[in-house]
Amino acid sequence: MTLKDKRVLLGITGGIAAYKSAELTRLLTRAGVEVRVVMTEAATRFITPVTMQALSGQTVWTDLWDARVPDNMGHIELSRDRDLIVVAPASADFMAKVAHGLADDLLSTLCVARRCPLMLAPAMNVEMWENAATQRSLQLLRDDGVLLAGPAAGDQACGEIGMGRMLEPAQIAAEVDNFFQPKLLAGKRVLVTAGPTEEPIDPVRVLTNVSSGKMGFAVARAARDAGADVTLVSGPVALATPSGVARIDVRTAEEMFEAVKKAVKSADVFISVAAVSDYRVKNRASQKIKKGNGGLSLELEENPDILSWVAALPKPPYCVGFAAESENLAQYAKEKRLKKRLPLIAANLAQEALGADDSAITLYDDRGEHPLGRGPKLQLARKLVEHLAGALPQKK
Ligand code: C5P
């Protein structure tokens, strides 16, 4: 795992979202990160250093004048062995301080004296967030290359609703994870299709495929974490869009085809994970079909094969297909790769992969077979991204 043995300094400033930093510490330490916590005086009013010490397993630092640091250089030393400083929650006051280089307590001094990158997870009332001064701070921070995780919009502890909510701990942990991913696809534009498609029979019935979209969404996230500019064309699924990914929702195979035709023009890579319906109903009923007439016959016509169409373009992007088979996996996957003229295909057993969080994938390309092993779909997606990044044509 990329997070194993990474060293993060977690700064906590004064805000009600400070209680979420306890969960963030748990998530990071569980993923193998060594977390050192530094709190402002105001943060200790919201959550105690004892709590953070128990969760991080390390001394918690709060004071610029801490007598335990022999040479009084805590403000420098505490961040020297760190790979990243994450401040969550970052208050409006703290953002303003960092933006202007103020250093009047341990955490702000550490930030000014840092050598490693800094990520802020802002958390504040909507009016504080929208205040012109905060927005000026934000611009300065961006210009200085400070990374921002959130904020999000929604209910606030003060009872108001709007922008300024801190991201959930799992989302901040995902941003940290993303930060540590190698940027193998930097500058590349990646188009991904995911999920099933739905072909209407009548206004209340559809023909569809069993597909949760989990693999496609994991692939989109892995590509984005690898630095790519990602567009995700998704059929109907109940999944959150990975942050930083441009999502286009579609329903039918034809809608997916239209969306792909447009987006593929600028794509360097096309990864077709969607379980596209091979057929659509020829004479779709405009009203609900009534039962009671014995049986029902549907006339089906074939849908376009989106991936084959993209792979046959005069200058196709690097195309990756997915094959979900219930038997003869290797043979069918290899045949499919050749038939669709794909440089790379990822094969998995349908009965193992469908709807599950884990899967087992084998890649096939001109060089042969490459088993990626079994594991969570995000882990497999990262391995797929690594493999395809190595196979992409080098920049001229
Ligand atoms: O359905 P099949 O096994 O042929 O799917 C193999 C690959 O082709 C998958 O990557 C799938 O996304 C793609 N496909 C497509 N359009 C179709 C059918 C499949 O793009 N109509």
Side-chain angles (χ1 to χ4, degrees):
M1 261 312 266
T2 340
L3 284 181
K4 182 136 177 44
D5 300 327
K6 291 288 184 261
R7 287 170 296 196
V8 168
L9 188 145
L10 174 63
I12 308 178
T13 73
I16 185 61
Y19 78 93
K20 295 187 180 179
S21 307
E23 177 65 9
L24 175 60
T25 306
R26 288 284 280 165
L27 291 173
L28 292 176
T29 50
R30 246 189 245 146
V33 180
E34 196 223 279
V35 181
R36 176 179 293 152
V37 177
V38 174
M39 302 171 76
T40 63
E41 203 273 322
T44 65
R45 308 279 176 128
F46 290 93
I47 185 165
T48 73
V50 176
T51 303
M52 298 313 300
Q53 186 151 319
L55 294 175
S56 67
Q58 290 212 31
T59 306
V60 171
W61 304 88
T62 54
D63 186 4
L64 191 54
W65 310 107
D66 198 319
R68 289 172 299 175
V69 185
D71 55 5
N72 270 333
M73 291 296 166
H75 62 290
I76 306 215
E77 283 159 11
L78 288 175
S79 79
R80 275 299 168 266
D81 65 348
R82 299 290 103 179
D83 301 305
L84 176 69
I85 300 177
V86 179
V87 180
S91 63
D93 173 69
F94 193 75
M95 283 175 62
K97 269 176 160 171
V98 176
H100 292 92
L102 295 184
D104 64 354
D105 65 2
L106 181 58
L107 188 57
S108 55
T109 311
L110 267 169
C111 287
V112 177
R114 77 182 185 280
R115 278 194 195 137
C116 64
L118 170 64
M119 181 187 288
L120 302 183
M124 64 198 73
N125 162 271
V126 55
E127 300 299 342
M128 293 176 83
W129 175 254
E130 284 172 3
N131 186 287
T134 307
Q135 291 299 312
R136 275 199 301 278
S137 301
L138 185 65
Q139 197 50 54
L140 290 172
L141 292 166
R142 283 205 178 108
D143 293 346
D144 290 346
V146 172
L147 306 164
L148 287 145
D155 292 346
Q156 302 202 312
C158 54
E160 294 182 6
I161 296 171
M163 201 65 174
R165 260 176 77 93
M166 188 168 86
L167 292 187
E168 293 304 322
Q171 293 172 305
I172 300 174
E175 292 294 326
V176 172
D177 192 20
N178 168 24
F179 170 81
F180 286 114
Q181 294 304 317
K183 302 300 173 219
L184 298 170
L185 293 179
K188 300 286 181 199
R189 281 162 303 192
V190 176
L191 175 63
V192 181
T193 61
T197 59
E198 278 181 0
E199 308 298 331
I201 297 169
D202 67 17
V204 298
R205 299 182 179 96
V206 296
L207 279 182
T208 189
N209 284 324
V210 180
S211 169
S212 64
K214 285 178 187 171
M215 192 67 220
F217 276 57
V219 166
R221 173 163 167 207
R224 182 255 158 166
D225 287 355
D229 185 346
V230 180
T231 302
L232 172 63
V233 177
S234 176
V237 294
L239 295 173
T241 314
S243 76
V245 167
R247 173 170 169 179
I248 303 167
D249 283 316
V250 296
R251 189 175 179 216
T252 64
E254 284 176 308
E255 282 172 28
M256 184 171 274
F257 192 26
E258 287 312 308
V260 166
K261 272 187 198 165
K262 270 190 207 135
V264 82
K265 285 180 195 146
S266 58
D268 301 301
V269 178
F270 176 49
I271 312 177
S272 182
V273 198
V276 186
S277 180
D278 290 319
Y279 297 96
R280 62 174 176 269
V281 179
K282 197 166 180 192
N283 298 314
R284 172 185 169 183
S286 58
Q287 301 301 332
K288 186 176 170 186
I289 301 169
K290 291 292 164 201
K291 65 181 171 193
N293 296 329
L296 174 68
S297 297
L298 295 175
E299 194 181 344
L300 303 180
E301 57 189 346
E302 217 169 311
N303 269 327
D305 189 308
I306 303 171
L307 179 56
S308 297
W309 182 88
V310 173
L313 285 171
K315 279 191 188 169
Y318 185 87
C319 287
V320 184
F322 264 73
E325 304 292 345
S326 58
E327 57 176 358
N328 300 335
L329 185 60
Q331 183 201 336
Y332 289 156
K334 285 184 204 165
E335 283 171 8
K336 216 165 257 188
R337 186 177 87 85
L338 295 178
K339 187 164 171 246
K340 299 196 187 213
R341 285 178 287 168
L342 309 174
L344 183 64
I345 197 159
N348 53 12
L349 278 172
Q351 55 272 39
E352 288 187 351
L354 291 180
D357 290 327
D358 286 22
S359 185
I361 286 184
T362 304
L363 301 180
Y364 296 91
D365 61 13
D366 282 342
R367 290 181 292 130
E369 181 178 294
H370 313 273
L372 300 186
R374 180 178 298 278
K377 287 181 173 174
L378 181 60
Q379 193 179 311
L380 294 171
R382 293 211 198 287
K383 288 184 184 172
L384 166 67
V385 161
E386 201 181 318
H387 187 95
L388 84 89
L392 287 184
Q394 297 302 313
K395 275 216 168 89
K396 286 137 213 155

